[in-house]
Amino acid sequence: MNYGQFFNMLPECFLVLALIGVFALDFCYSKNSETRKGFGLTVALLLVAVIGVTVSVLRQGETVTAFGGLYVASPAVGVMKIILAFGTIIVAIMSQSWVETRQRIAGEFYMLILSTLLGMFVMMSSGNFLLFFLGLEMASVPLACMVAFDKNRNSAEGAAKYILVATFSSGVMLFGISFIYAATGTLYFDDVAAQLYAEPLTIMGLVFFFSGLGFKISLVPFHFWTADTYQGAPTPVTGYLSVISKGAAAITLCIILMKVFQPLLEYWDYMLYIVIVLSITVANLFAIRQSELKRFMAFSSISQAGYIMLAVVGNNQLGVAALTYYVLVYIVANMAVFTVINVVERNNNGRTDMAAYNGFYQTNPKLSFLMTLALFSLAGIPPFAGMFSKFFVFMAGVQNGDPMAYFVVFIALVNTVVSLYYYLLIVKAMYITKTDEPLPAFQSDECTKIALGICTAGIALFGVVSCIYEWIASAGL
């Protein structure tokens, strides 16, 4: 074996080194009183790993392969790795105050984050269905542990539902992959694409494979686990599930559909139409009925997943760029919301119901304002970044000129109005709804301020700084 090929996997190598470093720091600081110093060093180490991932991706600049095509990293995948690493740092920063209350198991939390991010990187860079499945499982199993991290009834229930559905979806996916292998005799993406043609066996394989990844992205009708898992998981983990995991699965599905299942385009295109319309519409209708904020954001994330997959319908380079840009904007907007939920939960006896935000502006106007900006961005209100991300997704969706695509984009536009209504329910609670006992004023910790500062800057700037989208669009698939 030529071990020099590992230099083509530098982003993954940086994550492995960071994982080893976090383990060493946890071993050194778990038995003494300098735990806060240990947390700070851990986040610093994660930041160094993210910088390493960014530099290594930017230095590659072109598609690289390793181990006979088992590992393939294109510039588009590299850009997504940078974005997901950036989002992971936001999660690590915003979760600092929560982690400090669980000093004995703080190191495990950071190791699980790095482990699942490593699995996502492997999944996105796979050139073979076997490596893809290994990456998927490397990402899913640590996530189940993170969901159960609070060790209470709700957290355990959420983790149980997540792992059971993940197991079932993995079985369905493997069933579909076995059909593809039976039809083509290979698991390598390029070889499968060269030998694939429409027949009942391959079409069933496509359907089963899509169903498995549909679970990871929380697309309807594979979404039933989402609300309970989001509600039961610790809030930082819920934020991580809603953006990082979803982004990795979305770009992976996009790449495999466009590169491997291109000969079956007419079948998966219409399958996507149905799933997108159902995801956006059903999630929006259920979100209106929610009074618990984490469940509310769960259905919001299902709706956002529909918008993300709308970019894939175009089946072109513009769709890949639109999807990646949407994930970037979605990370900063959604993590801003979850950062506010996290700090309110810690200062309000663990409450996450929407009634806890009644009169919130009276006592905490700054947090209310930042929450409003994030919600407006999620709804696609100009001039925030969310409006631009939705615009590019809509443009990518109609790029192929299919009349059915125009209809799906129209449905998505109508649902944007519905989503604005239920996002405004939170704004109404904070600014208009009166209460005799609003949440008392409190001072946010430094890590919360840093996380909110990064997210707010992204919401304000990503839409107007054109070089961000140009950099994403310049990366080829």
Side-chain angles (χ1 to χ4, degrees), residues 173-191:
M173 181 184 292
L174 279 177
F175 196 42
I177 292 174
S178 69
F179 283 1
I180 301 300
Y181 180 73
T184 62
T186 181
L187 292 175
Y188 284 89
F189 290 169
D190 292 340
D191 296 339

PDB file of all heavy atoms in Angstrom, residues 173-191:
ATOM      1  N   MET A 173     -31.312   0.951   2.785  1.00  0.00           N
ATOM      2  CA  MET A 173     -30.305   1.460   1.864  1.00  0.00           C
ATOM      3  C   MET A 173     -29.398   0.338   1.353  1.00  0.00           C
ATOM      4  O   MET A 173     -29.083   0.259   0.158  1.00  0.00           O
ATOM      5  CB  MET A 173     -29.474   2.545   2.543  1.00  0.00           C
ATOM      6  CG  MET A 173     -28.413   3.161   1.633  1.00  0.00           C
ATOM      7  SD  MET A 173     -27.386   4.329   2.507  1.00  0.00           S
ATOM      8  CE  MET A 173     -28.579   5.611   2.829  1.00  0.00           C
ATOM      9  N   LEU A 174     -28.958  -0.528   2.257  1.00  0.00           N
ATOM     10  CA  LEU A 174     -28.118  -1.655   1.839  1.00  0.00           C
ATOM     11  C   LEU A 174     -28.863  -2.573   0.867  1.00  0.00           C
ATOM     12  O   LEU A 174     -28.263  -3.130  -0.060  1.00  0.00           O
ATOM     13  CB  LEU A 174     -27.666  -2.454   3.064  1.00  0.00           C
ATOM     14  CG  LEU A 174     -26.468  -1.904   3.836  1.00  0.00           C
ATOM     15  CD1 LEU A 174     -26.185  -2.762   5.054  1.00  0.00           C
ATOM     16  CD2 LEU A 174     -25.238  -1.848   2.939  1.00  0.00           C
ATOM     17  N   PHE A 175     -30.151  -2.722   1.090  1.00  0.00           N
ATOM     18  CA  PHE A 175     -30.971  -3.516   0.181  1.00  0.00           C
ATOM     19  C   PHE A 175     -30.936  -2.902  -1.221  1.00  0.00           C
ATOM     20  O   PHE A 175     -30.764  -3.607  -2.228  1.00  0.00           O
ATOM     21  CB  PHE A 175     -32.397  -3.592   0.721  1.00  0.00           C
ATOM     22  CG  PHE A 175     -33.233  -4.664   0.101  1.00  0.00           C
ATOM     23  CD1 PHE A 175     -32.722  -5.925  -0.148  1.00  0.00           C
ATOM     24  CD2 PHE A 175     -34.560  -4.419  -0.235  1.00  0.00           C
ATOM     25  CE1 PHE A 175     -33.502  -6.927  -0.710  1.00  0.00           C
ATOM     26  CE2 PHE A 175     -35.350  -5.406  -0.809  1.00  0.00           C
ATOM     27  CZ  PHE A 175     -34.814  -6.664  -1.037  1.00  0.00           C
ATOM     28  N   GLY A 176     -31.069  -1.570  -1.269  1.00  0.00           N
ATOM     29  CA  GLY A 176     -31.011  -0.887  -2.561  1.00  0.00           C
ATOM     30  C   GLY A 176     -29.643  -0.988  -3.210  1.00  0.00           C
ATOM     31  O   GLY A 176     -29.527  -1.193  -4.431  1.00  0.00           O
ATOM     32  N   ILE A 177     -28.579  -0.851  -2.417  1.00  0.00           N
ATOM     33  CA  ILE A 177     -27.215  -0.955  -2.953  1.00  0.00           C
ATOM     34  C   ILE A 177     -26.968  -2.363  -3.508  1.00  0.00           C
ATOM     35  O   ILE A 177     -26.287  -2.538  -4.532  1.00  0.00           O
ATOM     36  CB  ILE A 177     -26.186  -0.600  -1.864  1.00  0.00           C
ATOM     37  CG1 ILE A 177     -26.285   0.897  -1.515  1.00  0.00           C
ATOM     38  CG2 ILE A 177     -24.763  -0.930  -2.316  1.00  0.00           C
ATOM     39  CD1 ILE A 177     -25.406   1.316  -0.348  1.00  0.00           C
ATOM     40  N   SER A 178     -27.529  -3.365  -2.833  1.00  0.00           N
ATOM     41  CA  SER A 178     -27.366  -4.740  -3.332  1.00  0.00           C
ATOM     42  C   SER A 178     -28.031  -4.911  -4.698  1.00  0.00           C
ATOM     43  O   SER A 178     -27.529  -5.653  -5.555  1.00  0.00           O
ATOM     44  CB  SER A 178     -27.947  -5.740  -2.327  1.00  0.00           C
ATOM     45  OG  SER A 178     -29.363  -5.642  -2.261  1.00  0.00           O
ATOM     46  N   PHE A 179     -29.151  -4.230  -4.929  1.00  0.00           N
ATOM     47  CA  PHE A 179     -29.799  -4.269  -6.245  1.00  0.00           C
ATOM     48  C   PHE A 179     -28.882  -3.646  -7.305  1.00  0.00           C
ATOM     49  O   PHE A 179     -28.756  -4.174  -8.423  1.00  0.00           O
ATOM     50  CB  PHE A 179     -31.124  -3.510  -6.212  1.00  0.00           C
ATOM     51  CG  PHE A 179     -32.249  -4.271  -5.556  1.00  0.00           C
ATOM     52  CD1 PHE A 179     -32.053  -5.522  -5.028  1.00  0.00           C
ATOM     53  CD2 PHE A 179     -33.514  -3.716  -5.472  1.00  0.00           C
ATOM     54  CE1 PHE A 179     -33.080  -6.228  -4.421  1.00  0.00           C
ATOM     55  CE2 PHE A 179     -34.560  -4.402  -4.875  1.00  0.00           C
ATOM     56  CZ  PHE A 179     -34.336  -5.666  -4.346  1.00  0.00           C
ATOM     57  N   ILE A 180     -28.274  -2.509  -6.951  1.00  0.00           N
ATOM     58  CA  ILE A 180     -27.376  -1.840  -7.898  1.00  0.00           C
ATOM     59  C   ILE A 180     -26.174  -2.730  -8.207  1.00  0.00           C
ATOM     60  O   ILE A 180     -25.738  -2.844  -9.362  1.00  0.00           O
ATOM     61  CB  ILE A 180     -26.917  -0.484  -7.319  1.00  0.00           C
ATOM     62  CG1 ILE A 180     -28.120   0.434  -7.029  1.00  0.00           C
ATOM     63  CG2 ILE A 180     -25.943   0.205  -8.277  1.00  0.00           C
ATOM     64  CD1 ILE A 180     -28.960   0.755  -8.234  1.00  0.00           C
ATOM     65  N   TYR A 181     -25.641  -3.362  -7.175  1.00  0.00           N
ATOM     66  CA  TYR A 181     -24.499  -4.257  -7.381  1.00  0.00           C
ATOM     67  C   TYR A 181     -24.892  -5.460  -8.244  1.00  0.00           C
ATOM     68  O   TYR A 181     -24.130  -5.905  -9.115  1.00  0.00           O
ATOM     69  CB  TYR A 181     -23.963  -4.727  -6.029  1.00  0.00           C
ATOM     70  CG  TYR A 181     -22.782  -5.658  -6.133  1.00  0.00           C
ATOM     71  CD1 TYR A 181     -21.528  -5.170  -6.498  1.00  0.00           C
ATOM     72  CD2 TYR A 181     -22.920  -7.021  -5.890  1.00  0.00           C
ATOM     73  CE1 TYR A 181     -20.441  -6.016  -6.608  1.00  0.00           C
ATOM     74  CE2 TYR A 181     -21.846  -7.883  -6.003  1.00  0.00           C
ATOM     75  CZ  TYR A 181     -20.606  -7.370  -6.357  1.00  0.00           C
ATOM     76  OH  TYR A 181     -19.534  -8.219  -6.472  1.00  0.00           O
ATOM     77  N   ALA A 182     -26.078  -5.988  -8.021  1.00  0.00           N
ATOM     78  CA  ALA A 182     -26.531  -7.121  -8.823  1.00  0.00           C
ATOM     79  C   ALA A 182     -26.676  -6.749 -10.295  1.00  0.00           C
ATOM     80  O   ALA A 182     -26.419  -7.573 -11.190  1.00  0.00           O
ATOM     81  CB  ALA A 182     -27.868  -7.635  -8.282  1.00  0.00           C
ATOM     82  N   ALA A 183     -27.061  -5.514 -10.560  1.00  0.00           N
ATOM     83  CA  ALA A 183     -27.275  -5.081 -11.939  1.00  0.00           C
ATOM     84  C   ALA A 183     -25.987  -4.699 -12.650  1.00  0.00           C
ATOM     85  O   ALA A 183     -25.878  -4.846 -13.874  1.00  0.00           O
ATOM     86  CB  ALA A 183     -28.246  -3.896 -11.967  1.00  0.00           C
ATOM     87  N   THR A 184     -24.998  -4.206 -11.889  1.00  0.00           N
ATOM     88  CA  THR A 184     -23.782  -3.685 -12.522  1.00  0.00           C
ATOM     89  C   THR A 184     -22.530  -4.493 -12.198  1.00  0.00           C
ATOM     90  O   THR A 184     -21.532  -4.399 -12.928  1.00  0.00           O
ATOM     91  CB  THR A 184     -23.548  -2.222 -12.090  1.00  0.00           C
ATOM     92  OG1 THR A 184     -23.364  -2.161 -10.661  1.00  0.00           O
ATOM     93  CG2 THR A 184     -24.741  -1.349 -12.479  1.00  0.00           C
ATOM     94  N   GLY A 185     -22.516  -5.225 -11.097  1.00  0.00           N
ATOM     95  CA  GLY A 185     -21.349  -6.010 -10.727  1.00  0.00           C
ATOM     96  C   GLY A 185     -20.221  -5.206 -10.125  1.00  0.00           C
ATOM     97  O   GLY A 185     -19.087  -5.692 -10.016  1.00  0.00           O
ATOM     98  N   THR A 186     -20.472  -3.975  -9.698  1.00  0.00           N
ATOM     99  CA  THR A 186     -19.445  -3.131  -9.098  1.00  0.00           C
ATOM    100  C   THR A 186     -20.083  -2.181  -8.096  1.00  0.00           C
ATOM    101  O   THR A 186     -21.295  -1.924  -8.154  1.00  0.00           O
ATOM    102  CB  THR A 186     -18.689  -2.324 -10.170  1.00  0.00           C
ATOM    103  OG1 THR A 186     -17.678  -1.518  -9.553  1.00  0.00           O
ATOM    104  CG2 THR A 186     -19.643  -1.433 -10.950  1.00  0.00           C
ATOM    105  N   LEU A 187     -19.247  -1.666  -7.184  1.00  0.00           N
ATOM    106  CA  LEU A 187     -19.706  -0.676  -6.202  1.00  0.00           C
ATOM    107  C   LEU A 187     -19.065   0.688  -6.426  1.00  0.00           C
ATOM    108  O   LEU A 187     -19.384   1.641  -5.717  1.00  0.00           O
ATOM    109  CB  LEU A 187     -19.397  -1.163  -4.780  1.00  0.00           C
ATOM    110  CG  LEU A 187     -20.184  -2.383  -4.289  1.00  0.00           C
ATOM    111  CD1 LEU A 187     -19.683  -2.820  -2.915  1.00  0.00           C
ATOM    112  CD2 LEU A 187     -21.678  -2.079  -4.228  1.00  0.00           C
ATOM    113  N   TYR A 188     -18.141   0.783  -7.381  1.00  0.00           N
ATOM    114  CA  TYR A 188     -17.482   2.062  -7.654  1.00  0.00           C
ATOM    115  C   TYR A 188     -18.427   2.976  -8.428  1.00  0.00           C
ATOM    116  O   TYR A 188     -19.049   2.546  -9.418  1.00  0.00           O
ATOM    117  CB  TYR A 188     -16.192   1.844  -8.444  1.00  0.00           C
ATOM    118  CG  TYR A 188     -15.057   1.324  -7.584  1.00  0.00           C
ATOM    119  CD1 TYR A 188     -14.859  -0.035  -7.399  1.00  0.00           C
ATOM    120  CD2 TYR A 188     -14.189   2.213  -6.954  1.00  0.00           C
ATOM    121  CE1 TYR A 188     -13.832  -0.511  -6.602  1.00  0.00           C
ATOM    122  CE2 TYR A 188     -13.152   1.745  -6.160  1.00  0.00           C
ATOM    123  CZ  TYR A 188     -12.984   0.384  -5.980  1.00  0.00           C
ATOM    124  OH  TYR A 188     -11.971  -0.063  -5.177  1.00  0.00           O
ATOM    125  N   PHE A 189     -18.519   4.221  -8.001  1.00  0.00           N
ATOM    126  CA  PHE A 189     -19.484   5.145  -8.574  1.00  0.00           C
ATOM    127  C   PHE A 189     -19.321   5.293 -10.087  1.00  0.00           C
ATOM    128  O   PHE A 189     -20.302   5.236 -10.842  1.00  0.00           O
ATOM    129  CB  PHE A 189     -19.367   6.513  -7.905  1.00  0.00           C
ATOM    130  CG  PHE A 189     -19.836   6.544  -6.476  1.00  0.00           C
ATOM    131  CD1 PHE A 189     -19.589   7.648  -5.667  1.00  0.00           C
ATOM    132  CD2 PHE A 189     -20.540   5.483  -5.939  1.00  0.00           C
ATOM    133  CE1 PHE A 189     -20.025   7.682  -4.349  1.00  0.00           C
ATOM    134  CE2 PHE A 189     -20.983   5.495  -4.622  1.00  0.00           C
ATOM    135  CZ  PHE A 189     -20.721   6.611  -3.832  1.00  0.00           C
ATOM    136  N   ASP A 190     -18.101   5.511 -10.549  1.00  0.00           N
ATOM    137  CA  ASP A 190     -17.878   5.732 -11.985  1.00  0.00           C
ATOM    138  C   ASP A 190     -18.260   4.498 -12.799  1.00  0.00           C
ATOM    139  O   ASP A 190     -18.869   4.611 -13.877  1.00  0.00           O
ATOM    140  CB  ASP A 190     -16.413   6.103 -12.237  1.00  0.00           C
ATOM    141  CG  ASP A 190     -16.048   7.465 -11.683  1.00  0.00           C
ATOM    142  OD1 ASP A 190     -16.981   8.274 -11.461  1.00  0.00           O
ATOM    143  OD2 ASP A 190     -14.852   7.735 -11.465  1.00  0.00           O
ATOM    144  N   ASP A 191     -17.924   3.318 -12.303  1.00  0.00           N
ATOM    145  CA  ASP A 191     -18.245   2.087 -13.028  1.00  0.00           C
ATOM    146  C   ASP A 191     -19.747   1.829 -13.027  1.00  0.00           C
ATOM    147  O   ASP A 191     -20.309   1.348 -14.029  1.00  0.00           O
ATOM    148  CB  ASP A 191     -17.515   0.900 -12.397  1.00  0.00           C
ATOM    149  CG  ASP A 191     -16.003   1.022 -12.521  1.00  0.00           C
ATOM    150  OD1 ASP A 191     -15.551   1.770 -13.414  1.00  0.00           O
ATOM    151  OD2 ASP A 191     -15.282   0.394 -11.725  1.00  0.00           O
TER     152      ASP A 191
END
